[in-house]
Amino acid sequence: MTTTTTRPRRAAVLALGWTAVAALIVYATWNRGIAMDLMLAAMSVVGLFSHDAVLPFQPDWLGAALRATATVAAAYLAWRLIRYHRVTRGACGRCGRTATAADPSRRRALALWAAYVSILPAAGYAALKITWAFGGTIGLADPSVFAGIKPWTPGFADTGVMALIGIGVALAMAHRRPRPPRWLLLTPTLIGLAMLIPVSILGTAGNISGANAAAGFLSTMSAWVLWFVYGCFTVWAVCLSIVTVEYHYGTRGRCATCGRG
């Protein structure tokens, strides 16, 4: 139980700790950092099985390793802070449960709603990329920008497949059917969130501030495309986060430390 004498110290520890987490996340995600690293890594793997030149440049693998290290450090520090917060408020440090269990029905209902809403941005973004993959020019200020693109070009039709996987995983987590090992659903979801969250935040900020226009994006795409794409990413990230958190807490089982669950 937290006392009045420990509250100032507790608040200071949490404030400093979360400030450090925020700094690590900013470093890892600056200029779409870790999200772009994950995308380039995936495209490099695809390139091993493709006859086309997938990456016309050499990625900054050293920078990618540093950003990955910062991401892992931020995750570890966040985990330690969460445990500290739980223990100092009288909860179990491992699971966060208290003697009074909360009703999970509202959380389940919210997760179901979020899973179904996530279909819209996922399908919308995938439909746009598939349209471009098959020669469509909707939303392109320069119709020749994707000249030579084929459906099997990495980053286009395969986006539709990944979106379908994302939709299926979200629905499986929300409905708890089927019931594979938790890591089989949580791993791709967390990787997806590592890409969606920084890209949606930075992309939307770029739209609002005009940075995306200054970067020359409007020379190849209509303004509504940027708002549509980053809007899809933002809604998708929020909905998928809700589903993932509910699934994690709802399927973790009985705690080995406190016995609650």
Side-chain angles (χ1 to χ4, degrees):
M1 194 76 176
T2 305
T3 64
T4 54
T5 56
T6 61
R7 281 176 184 164
R9 179 179 180 276
R10 177 176 181 267
V13 170
L14 291 173
L16 288 173
W18 287 115
T19 299
V21 170
L24 288 167
I25 291 175
V26 168
Y27 170 75
T29 60
W30 187 257
N31 197 27
R32 301 173 177 83
I34 191 66
M36 188 63 67
D37 294 336
L38 290 170
M39 187 180 301
L40 292 177
M43 292 176 68
S44 297
V45 172
V46 172
L48 296 176
F49 305 95
S50 174
H51 297 294
D52 297 329
V54 177
L55 293 176
F57 57 90
Q58 180 64 30
D60 177 18
W61 296 121
L62 176 60
L66 293 174
R67 287 185 287 271
T69 301
T71 302
V72 173
Y76 175 76
L77 181 56
W79 173 70
R80 296 294 302 178
L81 288 168
I82 291 170
R83 287 182 62 91
Y84 175 80
H85 170 70
R86 289 170 174 173
V87 170
T88 54
R89 70 181 179 89
C92 173
R94 181 186 179 95
C95 69
R97 295 183 179 101
T98 59
T100 304
D103 181 11
S105 59
R106 287 188 176 182
R107 200 169 58 214
R108 282 292 305 277
L110 178 62
L112 280 169
W113 176 84
Y116 284 114
V117 173
S118 71
I119 296 174
L120 298 176
Y125 176 67
L128 184 63
K129 295 300 288 288
I130 291 173
T131 299
W132 290 341
F134 283 91
T137 58
I138 182 173
L140 298 181
D142 180 6
S144 65
V145 67
F146 292 139
I149 291 296
K150 303 175 181 65
W152 54 86
T153 300
F156 286 85
D158 56 343
T159 301
V161 176
M162 289 190 289
L164 286 175
I165 293 173
I167 291 171
V169 169
L171 292 175
M173 288 194 297
H175 285 280
R176 312 280 172 82
R177 294 188 185 91
R179 290 180 176 271
R182 295 174 76 239
W183 65 265
L184 200 59
L185 295 178
L186 287 173
T187 300
T189 303
L190 293 174
I191 293 174
L193 287 173
M195 299 175 66
L196 284 172
I197 292 174
V199 169
S200 61
I201 293 174
L202 295 174
T204 302
N207 282 344
I208 295 173
S209 65
N212 289 339
F217 290 148
L218 295 182
S219 64
T220 57
M221 298 181 182
S222 302
W224 71 262
V225 172
L226 296 179
W227 285 103
F228 175 77
V229 168
Y230 292 121
C232 285
F233 287 164
T234 301
V235 175
W236 197 358
V238 171
C239 291
L240 195 56
S241 296
I242 293 172
V243 175
T244 303
V245 170
E246 192 284 324
Y247 179 79
H248 166 67
Y249 282 107
T251 61
R252 55 187 172 165
R254 187 173 296 278
C255 179
T257 300
C258 69
R260 301 185 183 110

